Amino acid sequence: MEPRPEYPAHPDTRHHVRPSAPGADTAAGEGEGDRVINGGLSDEQIAERVVDYDDDEYGFVRMVRTALLEAGILKEETPLGKLHALAPPKGRRKNPFLFVLQNDLRKSKEFAAALHRFVRLEICAALGVSRVAYQRRPTFRVHMAGGPAQGFAHADGLEPYNHQPGEVNIWLPLSKVHGSNSLMCESSPGKGDFHAFEAEPGQFVRFYGNRCWHYCLDNETDDTRVSFDLRAVPMDLFDNNHDGPSKTLTKKSSKKRFTGIKPLKLGEYYMDSDAEFDEQWQQMRGRM
């Protein structure tokens, strides 16, 4: 297999230096075939797709706006894509909008119930299955116009994250995404054709982030991106004992290091789309 192409040049390459990893053919074991490499997923299930849905049925945009309005940091007339007009970008750790969404909204029962229904009706259909294990606490993102790149280039199934290979990524924009405010991703593992997802509220992107490298750029557009993302595994492919990422992230000699391995378990990191929501919610509350 040819060497994986390098990422496009970027002013701050620290965000985009990928960790060392084997090629796609050797990641799952030499000679074991595509079905093993893809964790048992079909070619269609790992293909990048933009899928339409009715946001009014779930209320994700409404819930985000309500949470920010109640926190006193959003004006009624301000679209989510223009949040930067209310507070200049200061990086992820000093983002008041992200703080509210991560610490208040995603811990609410209303959001969790809507997500559970969304997974059952939309994500299962997009994967062509009737049941999945899904990430119970999605990650919200607020990539401010004029703000720096967030995170670093990675593929979820490789070091240091080590997610199980049957896992697919679901990425939901709650404001219009395009160009450098979006997520850059290759269309299939090792292809190297990095491109920005283009979508809007009422659409989600399904992609195989487990083996497809992805990353963010400095947001040089005039639009802030508000989004959340989660991962899902068809239940017949789910491995409850798969070695997950390291348990803790420490900093030593200015280098980030992961220590200890902790499997990502059903009922902890993942929820069962087939389970009764209220029962799972009671279990979740103790882990918030």
Side-chain angles (χ1 to χ4, degrees), residues 18-140:
R18 52 174 190 267
S20 60
D25 288 339
T26 59
E30 187 175 350
E32 293 186 67
D34 290 343
R35 295 292 290 179
V36 176
I37 293 172
N38 300 337
L41 294 165
S42 68
D43 289 343
E44 169 56 31
Q45 287 172 324
I46 68 170
E48 180 184 310
R49 296 283 185 264
V50 177
V51 183
D52 294 332
Y53 72 98
D54 184 356
D55 183 70
D56 290 339
E57 288 292 318
Y58 306 98
F60 294 134
V61 172
R62 173 187 56 78
M63 282 187 273
V64 165
R65 290 191 60 84
T66 298
L68 298 180
L69 284 166
E70 290 180 349
I73 55 177
L74 176 66
K75 296 180 179 179
E76 286 280 3
E77 66 272 16
T78 305
L80 294 180
K82 301 301 177 184
L83 291 180
H84 54 278
L86 303 177
K90 296 180 180 179
R92 179 181 174 87
R93 293 181 180 274
K94 297 181 180 180
N95 188 318
F97 310 107
L98 183 61
F99 182 87
V100 170
L101 301 182
Q102 285 282 85
N103 292 282
D104 296 333
L105 179 57
R106 77 167 179 166
K107 295 180 180 179
S108 71
K109 185 176 182 179
E110 180 185 17
F111 177 77
L115 180 68
H116 190 67
R117 193 160 60 89
F118 177 80
V119 170
R120 295 184 70 170
L121 298 179
E122 308 292 346
I123 295 180
C124 285
L127 290 172
V129 299
S130 60
R131 184 184 178 194
V132 298
Y134 70 95
Q135 182 180 341
R136 69 180 180 89
R137 292 182 67 185
T139 303
F140 276 94

Side-chain angles (χ1 to χ4, degrees), residues 163-174:
H163 283 238
Q164 54 185 282
E167 186 181 76
V168 174
N169 297 57
I170 306 296
W171 193 80
L172 285 87
L174 303 177

Side-chain angles (χ1 to χ4, degrees), residues 177-223:
V177 294
H178 59 99
S180 60
N181 84 349
S182 189
L183 186 67
M184 303 294 294
C185 188
E186 56 185 344
S187 62
S188 61
K191 192 167 186 179
D193 57 340
F194 295 98
H195 59 284
F197 293 151
E198 294 192 1
E200 57 189 28
Q203 296 179 316
F204 65 90
V205 182
R206 185 199 74 192
F207 70 104
Y208 193 44
N210 190 273
R211 287 295 188 274
C212 290
W213 289 83
H214 48 284
Y215 61 96
C216 291
L217 296 171
D218 292 348
N219 185 355
E220 298 176 349
T221 75
D222 293 327
D223 297 308

